[in-house]
Amino acid sequence: METLGPGRRLGIWSQGCGLACAGCMSRHTWDPSGGASRTVSSLLGLWREALARGADGLTVSGGEPLDQPTALEALLAGAVRARAEAVAPGGPAAGREIDILLYTGYEEEEVEADAARSAAVRHADVLVTGRFQVAEPTALAWRGSANQRMRPRTARGRARYQEHLARTESGPRLQMVEGDGDVRLYGVPRRGELAALERRLRRAGIALTGASWRP
Ligand code: SF4
């Protein structure tokens, strides 16, 4: 995945979100009983494989990752340890710069007011916070609406994301990947991008059914 953070990244999407932002493109992630169960150790196995294959980072999004704060803390703490092993001399990613980016729909104050949530986010290099507000479009890279905040939390995060904090994008922001009987979209669309994509597909004779951004 190449559209949520710098470089080529492993993406992990958590299932379940009760924030119900109007205009959310990922309504399929709202139901906490949906998705597929994965253990933290199996996800860390994917992360180690991604590091060995050259991943530049890990992005965790949702759904709402902080609705599973204990599991998220275990995942991110393990991801930090796996990264340290991989970038050490002789490791599969020796000397490379690799970051961990976490998205949440909670505001910073809501994260800090909750002990379990704040414990989980301390392992992330960069945190994007805030509900998606459909009435506040933005061209800022990797943010869906202008109210959302991107905050580096570590020296690595500051070094890697400083140039992106105020960077804007004018072109398409979605990566489309054909799945097993479906099409997956990765990234944060700019305003109108989903509708334009549907129009293009229709012209090519493809009608989307079950789009995740429709009720
Ligand atoms: S935009 Fe994010 S926080 Fe808002 S409802 Fe969708 S998944 Fe939840």
Side-chain angles (χ1 to χ4, degrees):
M1 184 263 293
E2 299 173 15
T3 45
L4 286 171
R8 299 184 66 220
R9 311 175 68 83
L10 176 68
I12 295 176
W13 284 267
S14 69
Q15 183 70 26
C17 180
L19 298 177
C21 306
C24 170
M25 73 173 283
S26 305
R27 298 175 68 100
H28 63 302
T29 65
W30 288 10
D31 180 357
S33 62
S37 292
R38 295 279 183 270
T39 62
V40 167
S41 64
S42 74
L43 294 175
L44 290 174
L46 293 176
W47 175 228
R48 286 194 191 87
E49 283 173 28
L51 288 167
R53 288 204 312 267
D56 296 299
L58 168 66
T59 298
V60 180
S61 185
E64 178 45 66
L66 286 175
D67 282 352
Q68 302 178 60
T70 307
L72 180 66
E73 192 198 357
L75 173 65
L76 295 183
V80 168
R81 281 195 298 275
R83 174 179 63 188
E85 290 163 14
V87 301
R96 291 213 322 266
E97 276 304 317
I98 295 163
D99 69 273
I100 297 173
L101 167 63
L102 172 64
Y103 279 83
T104 174
Y106 290 113
E107 309 295 338
E108 285 175 300
E109 311 78 61
E110 293 175 300
V111 174
E112 297 307 332
D114 182 286
R117 289 179 196 151
S118 55
V121 303
R122 74 192 153 103
H123 303 290
D125 296 303
V126 181
L127 185 60
V128 177
T129 57
R131 314 285 193 276
F132 170 67
Q133 300 285 356
V134 69
E136 299 182 43
T138 183
L140 287 169
W142 306 323
R143 277 144 287 183
S145 54
N147 61 298
Q148 293 179 328
R149 298 283 167 260
M150 176 179 276
R151 301 265 197 244
R153 300 174 60 86
T154 64
R156 178 184 280 105
R158 283 186 285 282
R160 200 143 205 227
Y161 283 74
Q162 190 59 43
E163 65 181 295
H164 302 293
L165 298 180
R167 181 172 67 79
T168 57
E169 296 171 317
S170 55
R173 304 201 296 190
L174 289 175
Q175 178 183 358
M176 185 161 37
V177 175
E178 203 179 322
D180 186 15
D182 59 16
V183 171
R184 296 172 195 176
L185 300 172
Y186 301 131
V188 184
R190 60 185 167 78
R191 177 175 264 194
E193 190 170 344
L194 290 170
L197 175 70
E198 281 201 86
R199 284 196 298 275
R200 275 208 316 280
L201 288 171
R202 248 195 320 271
R203 282 199 295 275
I206 300 166
L208 290 184
T209 56
S212 62
W213 52 91
R214 279 199 283 273

